[in-house]
Amino acid sequence: MLVASLLSVSLALMASATPGAASEARTEAPTETLWLVQPMYPGQDALVQRAETGITGLLPADVKPRQVVGAKALATHLQGRSGDLGCLAGGARCREPLGTYLASLGLERVVLVRVGQDDAGYRFRAVSIRSESGARAEAETSNPSFDRALAGVLVKFLSLNALVEAVTQPAGATVFIDGVKVGVTPYATEVLPGEHTFRFELASHLPREETRVVASREQVKLSPALEKVPARLVVKVLPEGSAILVDGSVVGKDTVDQGIQPGKRTLRLTQEGYEPHEVEADIAPGATYTLERELKPTSMQAFKLAMRRRQAATMARQSYLEASYEFASLTSDKLTAQPVNTDNGVGDVRGTGVRSPGSRQLRGLGLEYGRYGQYFGVMLVGATWYSTGDVWTMGVNVPPGAQASPGMTGLTQVDTKVQVLSLRALQPQLRYVLGPVSFAIQAGLDMRGALAKEQDDGSGFSPHFKDGLYALDLHVSGQATARIFVYEGLYASVAYQRGFSLLGKLAGTSNFRGGVGYAF
């Protein structure tokens, strides 16, 4: 972009010069600065004239005679001048051909300025090139104010800052420039040229405010005399964000320390969700009236605050250990097992149906440990041991030719009691906390093993499978849990879990669980 812009300037200058003319040797050094402005975006040509006018207005008086601003001023500058085209045409060797040509026209520096307006406000980009050395400098600014954006980019190439000195009577007043607190009087600083608002505040004195248009390099002296008020008002109120009103007008939030005229004043403190507090104050001349108050929340706000505190306390506890008592039911009658001891030659046996008076129910004890972040967590490790509360009747199909126990031929029914161990680890969780209640869902894999032992029916039988039958399976499970914290980290929980078999060995389960735990 820089090269293209320089070439554009060069062509414009060459077109204005006398063709084929060569200037006589110049003995004086170039002193002029050329300012050329272009629109940054299509359709914003009107900003060019505004920028040229603004540049002219911001130039200090001592340097303004040596500045060429805009295309019209350039045309006037070129009248009666012809540049040295020898370097550009190849007739002479120069270190900076284009710079040498510009210098021959008396231009010591060229500043290319692009101006545009977008959603952020006014934007300026500028590039400065020294003709003799080729040194380059760049600057870019943006601001909702056109004048401030322009001054912000020009200050990179010219010394424009004005010096402001503020001395108040009495001293010690807080100084605000354009609404920003900058220091305490006596105070001195530099500001960009343009319009600025200066405000001075001092306890027990009336504030003073002054708006001035500051010129480039101007030395501004501000010496306001602050008027002492006959009384002082000091108000402090909680919670944060509470409004302070005097006679119906808002004078500040949270804290106010200012002068006030004596007499009867109505002070009102308000905050959404809190009961307002109003005082009829009789302020004596020369006195300081002080009011400190913490507003009382409404019943609904008090409930919300309590819920927020409980929620914060709950979410701050990131680890938990929980013990539970569970009720589980098989979701089908599927059970594929094999004898623990296979000396009799019987391998896998397939259950043809599991029947029991209690709908294949299991009862168990569980223990798990996990950790939480703010919303996400993980159940690190957990285990549950189940056993049947009644006797299950299983159909056992013995393969032909197997050396089964006496009386076992084909399909045989056996009465058993079953124990199941479920192991799980690294199950991700998602939780939501509402006051003292935490809701969580989790999913993952469970490793489950079942052991079925035959039961004596009272006739003194000999078991078909002396050491019992076992089955191993991998389940995928999902769980929803609700926990209510009753005291600090102590909580009670209820949960529902659903498991599905991946290997088809052991039927899935439907679990209901109640437990107690401690979060820490």
Side-chain angles (χ1 to χ4, degrees):
M1 184 193 77
L2 175 61
V3 175
S5 300
L6 285 175
L7 288 176
S8 299
V9 175
S10 174
L11 291 175
L13 295 175
M14 292 175 66
S16 302
T18 304
S23 64
E24 297 180 356
R26 299 179 61 92
T27 59
E28 68 277 7
T31 60
E32 309 289 328
T33 296
L34 171 63
W35 300 82
L36 293 179
V37 184
Q38 295 178 340
M40 187 177 298
Y41 307 117
Q44 296 189 356
D45 296 326
L47 293 177
V48 173
Q49 181 59 45
R50 185 177 178 184
E52 291 177 353
T53 303
I55 293 172
T56 303
L58 288 172
L59 289 173
D62 57 334
V63 301
K64 187 175 293 187
R66 300 190 302 274
Q67 310 300 310
V68 180
V69 182
K72 292 182 179 179
L74 174 60
T76 301
H77 175 80
L78 292 177
Q79 290 180 2
R81 296 175 182 263
S82 59
D84 185 359
L85 300 175
C87 295
L88 290 175
R93 298 183 58 130
C94 302
R95 185 171 63 91
E96 292 288 343
L98 181 57
T100 301
Y101 175 68
L102 295 175
S104 69
L105 293 173
L107 299 177
E108 186 270 339
R109 181 173 61 168
V110 176
V111 183
L112 305 175
V113 181
R114 301 190 70 192
V115 56
Q117 184 178 13
D118 53 25
D119 294 339
Y122 295 96
R123 187 181 302 275
F124 284 86
R125 294 176 187 165
V127 180
S128 169
I129 306 97
R130 297 281 180 178
S131 59
E132 293 187 333
S133 64
R136 186 183 72 176
E138 299 182 12
E140 180 175 355
T141 61
S142 63
N143 196 288
S145 168
F146 181 90
D147 293 335
R148 293 186 180 182
L150 177 59
V153 76
L154 294 188
V155 77
K156 305 296 178 64
F157 308 113
L158 293 171
S159 176
L160 300 178
N161 285 346
L163 177 63
V164 177
E165 295 182 7
V167 179
T168 58
Q169 182 63 38
T174 302
V175 182
F176 296 83
I177 299 180
D178 298 326
V180 179
K181 181 179 178 180
V182 294
V184 176
T185 59
Y187 180 78
T189 187
E190 292 185 351
V191 297
L192 288 173
E195 184 177 277
H196 297 278
T197 300
F198 305 93
R199 182 178 176 86
F200 305 91
E201 295 183 1
L202 182 63
S204 301
H205 293 74
L206 294 175
R208 286 285 300 273
E209 186 171 291
E210 182 178 349
T211 300
R212 293 186 60 170
V213 177
V214 179
S216 300
R217 299 183 184 177
E218 182 181 359
Q219 291 188 354
V220 180
K221 291 187 177 181
L222 304 174
S223 304
L226 303 183
E227 180 183 354
K228 186 174 179 61
V229 296
R232 179 184 176 191
L233 176 66
V234 178
V235 181
K236 297 180 180 179
V237 59
L238 291 175
E240 184 177 346
S242 298
I244 303 171
L245 293 86
V246 177
D247 295 334
S249 299
V250 177
V251 295
K253 290 187 176 182
D254 303 335
T255 301
V256 165
D257 185 349
Q258 66 178 38
I260 191 170
Q261 294 294 336
K264 291 186 177 181
R265 296 285 182 266
T266 301
L267 308 181
R268 183 176 176 84
L269 313 177
T270 63
Q271 169 71 296
E272 184 178 358
Y274 293 80
E275 296 179 3
H277 180 70
E278 188 169 294
V279 176
E280 295 292 336
D282 191 357
I283 304 176
T288 297
Y289 186 89
T290 302
L291 174 62
E292 296 184 3
R293 184 77 178 184
E294 182 174 357
L295 299 182
K296 181 181 179 180
T298 62
S299 56
M300 178 57 69
Q301 183 69 11
F303 173 75
K304 292 180 180 179
L305 293 175
M307 292 290 285
R308 290 172 187 170
R309 288 192 295 268
R310 293 296 300 273
Q311 178 177 348
T314 300
M315 299 184 74
R317 298 178 180 272
Q318 297 184 343
S319 299
Y320 72 93
L321 181 65
E322 180 178 320
S324 60
Y325 185 73
E326 303 186 20
F327 293 89
S329 299
L330 299 186
T331 55
S332 71
D333 60 359
K334 182 182 296 184
L335 177 62
T336 300
Q338 67 182 43
V340 175
N341 188 343
T342 59
D343 291 344
N344 59 4
V346 178
D348 286 352
V349 297
R350 182 175 299 277
T352 60
V354 177
R355 302 186 306 278
S356 71
S359 301
R360 300 182 293 275
Q361 290 185 348
L362 297 161
R363 299 177 182 178
L365 297 174
L367 186 69
E368 72 177 37
Y369 168 74
R371 285 186 60 82
Y372 276 116
Q374 185 173 5
Y375 299 108
F376 299 95
V378 59
M379 190 281 297
L380 295 174
V381 62
T384 306
W385 175 82
Y386 302 94
S387 65
T388 55
D390 47 18
V391 177
W392 288 7
T393 299
M394 299 172 51
V396 178
N397 190 8
V398 179
Q403 298 178 5
S405 300
M408 290 191 66
T409 56
L411 180 61
T412 303
Q413 290 187 347
V414 295
D415 294 332
T416 64
K417 281 197 171 182
V418 180
Q419 297 176 348
V420 177
L421 178 64
S422 173
L423 299 175
R424 53 195 180 274
L426 302 178
Q427 294 190 357
Q429 298 180 338
L430 175 66
R431 77 165 176 173
Y432 175 75
V433 178
L434 182 62
V437 181
S438 172
F439 302 94
I441 56 175
Q442 71 182 54
L445 298 177
D446 296 7
M447 177 66 73
R448 299 191 181 185
L451 178 64
K453 285 279 193 175
E454 291 183 68
Q455 299 298 300
D456 189 348
D457 59 1
S459 61
F461 83 110
S462 176
H464 302 98
F465 302 98
K466 180 179 180 181
D467 297 319
L469 300 167
Y470 77 91
L472 296 176
D473 202 350
L474 186 64
H475 283 214
V476 60
S477 64
Q479 176 177 298
T481 306
R483 299 180 174 95
I484 181 167
F485 287 76
V486 294
Y487 178 73
E488 293 186 349
L490 183 65
Y491 65 85
S493 70
V494 293
Y496 173 75
Q497 183 187 64
R498 184 82 174 189
F500 303 90
S501 172
L502 294 179
L503 305 180
K505 299 287 187 180
L506 182 62
T509 56
S510 176
N511 303 34
F512 287 95
R513 184 179 80 193
V516 293
Y518 190 80
F520 50 93

